[in-house]
Amino acid sequence: MDRPFRFIWLLAAAAALCACTYQLQESHLVRPQPAPATDLAVLAAAFPGYSLDEARIDTGDGASLYSLRLTRPDARATVLYFGGNGYRIGVHAQHSVRAYEALPVNLVLVDHRGYGGSSGIPTMDGLRADALLAYDRLRADPALAELPLLVHGQSLGSFLAGHVAGHRRLDGLVLESSMTTAEDWTAAMRARAGFWTRLMVRRIDIAPSLQAAGNLEVVRTLDEPVLFVVGADDTTTAPVFSRMLHDATPLPAADKRLVVVPGKGHNTATLSPEFAAAMAGLIDRVAPVAVTADDAGA
C-alpha cells in the first residue's frame, strides 16, 4: 500500500541531478489515487456477519470523503481505520476486514481525500483535519455512542491516528508500521538507497508539513491504552522504530504493548494470530465483558 521504493528511486534520480541535497515534498508521498467504486455485493458475500453502509463526509473545504461502515450485532467496540499511502477501500477493504473478522468490533473505513472514492487534493494538513472530522462524526453518531471507539492507523495512516490521539480523547489506539519522525524515516530510506546515492545525496531537506509527521511527540503524551504492531520483516518502517515509540510512551505496562510479528512485512502484520490475540486483549481492556451473577457463582 505504501511505496518506499519510489522514494529510493527519487533519491537516486536526485543524486544524478544535484549531487548534494534532495528536497522531499508532500507530492512525493501523497498524491491523488482514485479507484473504482467499492463492490458491496462482493464484500457482503465474503463477510456475511456484517451489515454494510456507505456514507460521505463533507469536509467544509470542498472535499467529500468516502466511508464504509461494517457493523455486527456482537460488537463491543468500534474501530476507525486509516490506511497507508495508496490505501483505497475499493481495493483493500477485504484486507482490513479479514484482519478484524474474528474480533467483536464494528469497523469504519475512510478513504483519504483524493484517494479511492474521496474527492479533493491530498495534503498532510488536509489529511490530518479529515481524520479529526471522521472521528468527531463517529463520536456524535447515536447508533455507536454506547461503544468504545478505537483508532487504528497503518503507516501513513498511523500519523493520522496519532494526530487524532493528540487532539481528542480516545478509548484506545493502534499504531501499525509507524515511525518516530520524518527525519528518522528519510535517514533510514537513504541508508537503503545504496553507496553511490548516499555519496551523492549528502542532505535531505524535508518540507515543513512533513516535518510534523511522525508519532514520537504524540506517544509522549498518550493517556489511553495503545497497541504497537509491526512486521518483523518490515523494511519500510523497521521494528526498531515501533520499539522506540513503545519505550517513549509513559504509560504503565498494562496500557501499552508492542507486537513484532514474525515473518510479516510492512502491510501484513495484522493478518496474523499475534495481532488478533493482542487486539482481543485491547478490546477486553476498553470494553470488559460484564460478569453476571451466574458467571460469578460458576
Side-chain angles (χ1 to χ4, degrees):
M1 296 165 199
D2 285 275
R3 292 170 169 78
F5 295 106
R6 182 170 180 267
F7 176 75
I8 293 175
W9 180 86
L10 286 167
L11 276 182
L17 293 173
C18 69
C20 54
T21 300
Y22 173 67
Q23 305 284 337
L24 179 63
Q25 303 296 331
E26 278 193 0
S27 59
H28 297 156
L29 298 181
V30 292
R31 56 190 175 86
Q33 297 184 48
T38 305
D39 193 328
L40 295 184
V42 170
L43 270 179
F47 305 101
Y50 293 93
S51 296
L52 278 60
D53 295 289
E54 296 175 299
R56 301 209 69 89
I57 303 171
D58 293 328
T59 64
D61 65 353
S64 177
L65 308 180
Y66 172 73
S67 177
L68 180 64
R69 178 182 297 184
L70 299 99
T71 56
R72 49 194 288 172
D74 64 339
R76 292 162 48 201
T78 297
V79 173
L80 173 60
Y81 180 84
F82 298 112
N85 188 19
Y87 182 92
R88 290 153 290 168
I89 295 172
V91 178
H92 301 111
Q94 290 204 34
H95 175 103
S96 304
V97 184
R98 195 174 302 118
Y100 275 101
E101 186 179 15
L103 297 165
V105 295
N106 302 317
L107 186 60
V108 179
L109 311 175
V110 182
D111 273 335
H112 307 311
R113 64 168 60 205
Y115 288 69
S118 295
S119 66
I121 303 300
T123 65
M124 288 304 301
D125 286 344
L127 297 184
R128 294 184 187 108
D130 295 345
L132 292 176
L133 180 60
Y135 176 86
D136 290 342
R137 289 293 178 86
L138 280 183
R139 274 296 196 199
D141 189 332
L144 300 175
E146 300 302 317
L147 296 178
L149 180 53
L150 310 175
V151 179
H152 178 169
Q154 190 264 343
S155 196
L156 173 68
S158 76
F159 302 155
L160 307 183
H163 183 71
V164 175
H167 291 79
R168 299 292 188 270
R169 180 68 177 92
L170 312 186
D171 294 299
L173 177 66
V174 181
L175 297 178
E176 176 193 352
S177 306
S178 193
M179 177 52 66
T180 48
T181 65
E183 289 77 8
D184 285 347
W185 185 76
T186 53
M189 290 295 100
R190 178 182 176 276
R192 293 186 58 212
F195 171 77
W196 290 110
T197 298
R198 295 197 303 273
L199 180 65
M200 300 295 285
V201 179
R202 299 300 183 90
R203 175 179 172 183
I204 301 174
D205 283 346
I206 303 172
S209 60
L210 294 179
Q211 293 172 14
N215 278 318
L216 185 57
E217 293 305 315
V218 168
V219 300
R220 288 172 173 163
T221 63
L222 288 181
D223 57 1
E224 56 268 297
V226 57
L227 168 63
F228 301 94
V229 59
V230 63
D233 298 337
D234 188 340
T235 56
T236 304
T237 53
V240 63
F241 298 111
S242 287
R243 188 172 301 281
M244 290 169 66
L245 290 172
H246 172 270
D247 292 346
T249 304
L251 290 173
D255 285 335
K256 63 177 183 177
R257 183 172 181 183
L258 170 66
V259 176
V260 181
V261 185
K264 297 295 185 180
H266 187 61
N267 296 318
T268 54
T270 57
L271 299 179
S272 65
E274 290 86 352
F275 169 74
M279 195 66 201
L282 180 58
I283 295 167
D284 285 342
R285 185 153 189 80
V286 304
V289 177
V291 178
T292 66
D294 289 343
D295 292 334

